[in-house]
Amino acid sequence: MATIWLTSIAERYRAILEDLAIAIRTCPDELWEESLYPDDPDQPPTWTPLDPDGRPFDDEKVAAQKRRAQGSVWRTAAHILFYTDAELSATEKDWAPPAPMSLHDEDQDVVPPTHTREHLSAYADHCLRKTDEFFAGLTDERAELPVADTHRHSGTPLGEMLVVGLAHLQMHTAQLRTYLVTRGVPWAGE
């Protein structure tokens, strides 16, 4: 039987994922690829964006666009959905994100092709279903066990990893919400 702590964490995952889904649905097309973080054109590039196969982009205009995309609305949403899915799959040995996502989408400096609103909405729904399924079977005893050896948090107690994952999900969702609201995008449900 789940305790109040596990039930509360499950409810927060669900509420924040629903908030993220609002951001994905309500983001205007003209902001979808805009970066949440200011770009200083006077500063030289500090990193080289890579494609999912680990190759740099030869065209500097494409590389500049990919640098901006790294902090974009769609990229931030894809990033947080990827890690939320991975954390809710921490007991699975062979987890992979649903296509067209790739296990390499979150490798250092990789900027995958732009994900569509439809794909990310479906991914948010996937994570909501996974939240319900995962927490339905979670007990305090199971939450004390370490995550799978193949997971990036190998050896960490599952419950601890879930709390850290929740903070990560909340932080990025709040960034998206703040970015959109300060640009005049009305937030559904308010």
Side-chain angles (χ1 to χ4, degrees):
M1 182 168 117
T3 63
I4 185 65
W5 300 110
L6 292 177
T7 302
S8 298
I9 291 170
E11 288 172 0
R12 293 309 313 147
Y13 263 94
R14 175 163 263 293
I16 297 166
L17 281 166
E18 288 171 350
D19 215 29
L20 178 58
I22 291 170
I24 293 167
R25 283 193 314 271
T26 61
C27 178
D29 292 342
E30 63 270 14
L31 295 179
W32 190 247
E33 294 191 49
E34 291 300 313
S35 180
L36 278 63
Y37 314 104
D39 186 29
D40 186 351
D42 296 331
Q43 295 296 317
T46 57
W47 61 283
T48 302
L50 306 174
D51 69 19
D53 293 324
R55 294 185 304 257
F57 296 92
D58 294 329
D59 185 337
E60 182 50 39
K61 284 185 178 182
V62 172
Q65 182 231 356
K66 293 294 184 177
R67 279 187 206 93
R68 281 190 309 279
Q70 190 68 341
S72 69
V73 171
W74 74 264
R75 182 70 182 104
T76 303
H79 165 82
I80 192 56
L81 288 167
F82 178 96
Y83 281 113
T84 298
D85 189 15
E87 286 151 2
L88 294 172
S89 304
T91 58
E92 300 172 20
K93 293 192 185 292
D94 296 320
W95 171 81
M101 302 288 284
S102 160
L103 281 172
H104 299 293
D105 283 358
E106 293 298 326
D107 290 353
Q108 184 173 344
D109 298 336
V110 167
V111 184
T114 302
H115 292 294
T116 66
R117 182 182 321 279
E118 294 75 22
H119 173 253
L120 293 180
S121 289
Y123 202 9
D125 289 342
H126 166 83
C127 287
L128 281 164
R129 283 188 304 279
K130 198 167 221 179
T131 297
D132 293 341
E133 293 165 6
F134 180 81
F135 282 98
L138 190 59
T139 62
D140 281 346
E141 293 76 25
R142 190 165 170 226
E144 291 175 6
L145 297 175
V147 299
D149 289 341
T150 55
H151 195 275
R152 67 190 180 105
H153 291 294
S154 175
T156 302
L158 183 59
E160 179 182 330
M161 189 230 29
L162 289 168
V163 171
V164 171
L166 180 61
H168 185 234
L169 171 62
Q170 187 168 15
M171 175 190 71
H172 284 305
T173 301
Q175 288 172 330
L176 285 171
R177 184 177 188 164
T178 300
Y179 175 79
L180 294 171
V181 168
T182 59
R183 276 142 189 86
V185 178
W187 205 256
E190 287 190 350

